[in-house]
Amino acid sequence: MPHNGVASGLTSPYNRLMTNTPPTTAGLPVVAEPHLSAQLNAAAVETEPVLPVHPSVVVLDFGSQYSQLITRRVRELNVYSQLVPSDATWEQVRELNPKAVILSGGPSSVYDPDAPSLPPWVADCGLPVLAICYGLQLLAHRLGGKVEPAHVREYGPSVLSLEQQSPLFAGLSGDLPVWMSHGDSVTELPEGFEPLGSTPAARYSAVRKGDVYGLQFHPEVVHTPAGKQILANFVHGVAGLAPDWTASEFIEDAVTAIKGQVGSERVLCALSGGVDSSVAATLIHKAIGDQLTCIFVDNGLLRQGEAVQVVQVFRDQQHLDLRHVDASDRFLAALSGVVDPEEKRRRIGETFIRVFEEEALKLGDVPYLAQGTLYPDVIESATPATRYAAKIKTHHNVGGLPSDLSFKLIEPLRMLFKDEVREVGIRLGLPPEIVHRQPFPGPGLAVRVLGEVIPGDLEVLRRADAVVRREIAAAGLERQIWQSFAVLTPLRTVGVMGDGRTYGNVLAIRAVTSDDAMTAAWARLPYEVLDRISTAVVNEVREVTRVVYDVTSKPPGTIEWE
Ligand code: XMP
């Protein structure tokens, strides 16, 4: 397999398992697992590992809302793909072992003064190219064709009439429904290009010159039903890439890379039991065994049975060197008398750092800290201006921490999307309850007991939440819902049970669907399920006398109540 080792600025899947990058830290809360580099010092150390890089399809990002989706679609074809900024140089791209290039769409017009330009290497690299929307316009413009504002702007469904057969449209013919989203169109083709198909508003909606193809429509969106076939034709047929980028292949390569980087050194991992840290820890353990030590800080704010499950799965089943630190009392003491949600978060975060720090120091010299950073965090944390630099140079220091707690970061999942991480987790033998777990906030149940966290209330919420989770699971809805949980309000209302009057708390049920937690819709749970939850909670949790369902989406609400 090809290799590289030069720190050029782009992260490849394996040669940069170790980085100094801070994951997304701005604007908490955004992630459901605490990312330690936001909290602990991570020292900047450059390494130049020589490691395998899987053949890839490089997607140049011209700013389309669908850019990341193109990468995902290619990966769904079991071919590795990576999104890179549109101004990436050939030296940087070459490190990714590219076998084909896709130019994304984008919001610009080629005539805008600040429009992103086509890197010169694209025309000369000799690789198959698929230029989509703005990518096509840019390519045509650059190679001497003509781009003009469309007479009719096309946003939404259209029909592509195929005129010519080509490898890109192998197995397809006639009229194909496609999704358009453009203002400009190519009106004259550059020399050597031939039209393959047109839509009513765009004469050159599919064009070709050898292995260079251009599409005015978006094959990556579901509204182009043949899009998957077109991308498969490009990736497998035109570029000749085999569908061999699988979870097992990833694990094999990552294990080699981790071994190569870590050598005989030790690695520390904060294991929360969430999907990302669980998969990262298991993967690293597969590579280096007991050189990995995991610290599981039990903050007393976990859900029913969770701490026991983490210990069982990771210590007893996976045989990880897991230190279970029961710091419940310390967290509860830190929360005593605190009502403000942000102050609760701050105290929990600070206590976590202190506990983790103490435990880490007990272990002696451990140079590496493992984190479950994912690809979306990596993409989001890179601004256009700092994209290269931010990924490999920046190190995030939090003031006030002892300098002897500085780590080199190891982030084996930083090139994976969440669903890919889940596949890797299953392949590593983790139980589905861990791998398909819903996100759970770092501050845990503390942000679901409204106001001051009193141990008795915490226990009431824990029992009520267990009932909600049980009923959601029994209805088979757990995986369809992003998050579903209970919130204990301090409101007390009157009820009647048997012949007696009751007076107890109002419990709110929250269930949302979402793709990334940035926006969310309240889940349309069947009335029967809501009914079962309500009945079961009031019957089984004496302190709760009334159940309400939260029908607020995000925005304007947030997912958590605090
Ligand atoms: P909100 O409530 O802001 O939550 O809509 C978005 C996502 O983030 C989770 N969340 C947190 N995760 N620390 C975390 O690690 C936090 O302080 C925190 N607050 C909310 C929440 O569960 C949802 O998935």
Side-chain angles (χ1 to χ4, degrees):
M1 271 216 226
H3 72 274
N4 66 75
V6 187
S8 74
L10 290 177
T11 45
S12 79
Y14 314 115
N15 71 337
R16 291 245 161 252
L17 295 178
M18 197 184 82
T19 68
N20 312 304
T21 315
T24 322
T25 54
L28 267 178
V30 288
V31 287
E33 282 191 66
H35 278 307
L36 273 177
S37 71
Q39 300 162 330
L40 296 168
N41 291 347
V45 177
E46 285 293 326
T47 52
E48 299 199 352
V50 178
L51 295 164
V53 180
H54 211 86
S56 70
V57 173
V58 166
V59 179
L60 281 195
D61 182 8
F62 290 102
S64 163
Q65 54 177 325
Y66 305 130
S67 298
Q68 212 183 111
L69 189 60
I70 302 173
T71 307
R72 292 189 62 108
R73 291 283 178 256
V74 175
R75 291 189 187 190
E76 282 163 16
L77 299 166
N78 291 113
V79 169
Y80 184 70
S81 176
Q82 193 168 321
L83 190 64
V84 305
S86 64
D87 58 355
T89 65
W90 174 242
E91 286 66 37
Q92 291 164 330
V93 169
R94 196 177 49 192
E95 284 200 0
L96 304 176
N97 192 14
K99 298 296 176 210
V101 179
I102 297 181
L103 312 182
S104 85
S108 313
S109 161
V110 292
Y111 296 110
D112 290 345
D114 299 329
S117 56
L118 191 72
W121 59 263
V122 173
D124 305 328
C125 66
L127 297 173
V129 174
L130 179 64
I132 297 172
C133 196
Y134 177 75
L136 164 63
Q137 295 158 16
L138 197 56
L139 191 72
H141 179 62
R142 171 70 191 269
L143 299 179
K146 199 163 176 189
V147 176
E148 289 179 278
H151 297 303
V152 187
R153 295 160 80 84
E154 258 190 317
Y155 293 96
S158 186
V159 174
L160 175 79
S161 302
L162 273 181
E163 296 152 12
Q164 284 255 19
Q165 261 314 315
S166 69
L168 189 68
F169 290 98
L172 300 165
S173 58
D175 290 346
L176 306 174
V178 293
W179 187 260
M180 289 290 201
S181 178
H182 67 115
D184 291 355
S185 289
V186 176
T187 53
E188 267 175 42
L189 288 181
E191 204 185 312
F193 276 79
E194 54 173 339
L196 299 177
S198 59
T199 54
R203 168 74 192 89
Y204 301 117
S205 281
V207 304
R208 172 190 186 187
K209 180 182 178 182
D211 280 348
V212 177
Y213 290 86
L215 301 175
Q216 186 52 69
F217 61 90
H218 290 270
E220 68 276 23
V221 302
V222 287
H223 313 289
T224 300
K228 198 168 177 193
Q229 176 73 55
I230 294 169
L231 288 173
N233 286 343
F234 177 69
V235 166
H236 302 313
V238 178
L241 284 159
D244 59 4
W245 193 70
T246 56
S248 329
E249 177 91 3
F250 170 83
I251 292 168
E252 219 172 276
D253 287 350
V255 162
T256 310
I258 294 165
K259 277 185 183 156
Q261 290 188 348
V262 173
S264 57
E265 307 262 37
R266 293 173 70 195
V267 178
L268 182 61
C269 180
L271 186 67
S272 68
V275 181
D276 308 344
S277 67
S278 297
V279 175
T282 312
L283 182 60
I284 295 170
H285 181 250
K286 187 175 168 69
I288 58 168
D290 280 351
Q291 283 166 251
L292 172 73
T293 301
C294 293
I295 296 179
F296 166 49
V297 176
D298 183 349
N299 57 14
L301 304 166
L302 301 174
R303 291 165 292 186
Q304 199 170 74
E306 214 164 5
V308 172
Q309 185 195 32
V310 169
V311 174
Q312 259 172 8
V313 169
F314 294 97
R315 188 187 287 162
D316 304 343
Q317 291 171 21
Q318 300 289 330
H319 308 295
L320 266 66
D321 174 14
L322 178 74
R323 315 283 161 105
H324 175 195
V325 186
D326 184 356
S328 313
D329 292 346
R330 215 161 139 177
F331 279 88
L332 288 176
L335 288 170
S336 171
V338 184
V339 174
D340 177 62
E342 284 313 297
E343 183 59 16
K344 283 185 185 176
R345 279 202 173 75
R346 204 190 60 70
R347 294 205 185 190
I348 293 166
E350 190 185 305
T351 309
F352 179 84
I353 294 170
R354 294 296 159 224
V355 172
F356 187 83
E357 191 180 279
E358 286 164 22
E359 293 301 318
L361 284 173
K362 281 185 204 164
L363 296 175
D365 184 27
V366 183
Y368 289 95
L369 179 72
Q371 289 202 144
T373 311
L374 303 193
Y375 195 37
D377 302 333
V378 174
I379 295 175
E380 275 164 30
S381 65
T383 63
T386 60
R387 235 161 192 158
Y388 302 129
K391 280 189 188 166
I392 60 163
K393 300 281 183 211
T394 319
H395 56 119
H396 190 89
N397 287 315
V398 178
L401 288 171
S403 57
D404 51 351
L405 249 196
S406 69
F407 292 102
K408 294 178 270 188
L409 294 184
I410 177 157
E411 301 178 305
L413 311 178
R414 59 185 280 109
M415 287 297 139
L416 300 190
F417 290 106
K418 191 88 169 187
D419 48 343
E420 294 168 338
V421 169
R422 292 202 161 106
E423 269 181 55
V424 169
I426 291 289
R427 181 61 58 162
L428 285 167
L430 284 172
E433 309 86 77
I434 295 277
V435 170
H436 291 287
R437 230 179 76 138
Q438 291 181 356
F440 184 62
L445 298 183
V447 289
R448 296 178 183 171
V449 170
L450 304 188
E452 186 181 354
V453 182
I454 296 163
D457 287 351
L458 199 56
E459 197 41 44
V460 171
L461 175 63
R462 194 169 275 132
R463 286 190 280 126
D465 183 71
V467 174
V468 175
R469 291 168 68 204
R470 185 190 73 206
E471 294 300 330
I472 292 280
L477 293 170
E478 206 176 1
R479 288 197 201 170
Q480 293 168 39
I481 291 173
W482 176 265
Q483 274 170 291
S484 45
F485 54 88
V487 177
L488 186 68
T489 80
L491 281 179
R492 307 197 77 200
T493 70
V494 173
V496 55
M497 276 183 103
D499 292 330
R501 176 186 189 273
T502 55
Y503 186 55
N505 287 78
V506 176
L507 187 87
I509 309 299
R510 182 74 163 139
V512 295
T513 54
S514 176
D515 284 331
D516 54 10
M518 302 304 281
T519 60
W522 61 273
R524 272 54 175 177
L525 291 183
Y527 281 170
E528 298 71 36
V529 175
L530 285 171
D531 187 41
R532 276 199 294 276
I533 292 175
S534 159
T535 307
V537 168
V538 175
N539 280 336
E540 296 176 39
V541 186
R542 196 178 38 84
E543 295 83 349
V544 173
T545 47
R546 196 174 291 263
V547 174
V548 296
Y549 188 51
D550 181 356
V551 289
T552 320
S553 289
K554 174 184 178 176
T558 51
I559 294 177
E560 303 292 342
W561 273 35
E562 283 197 336

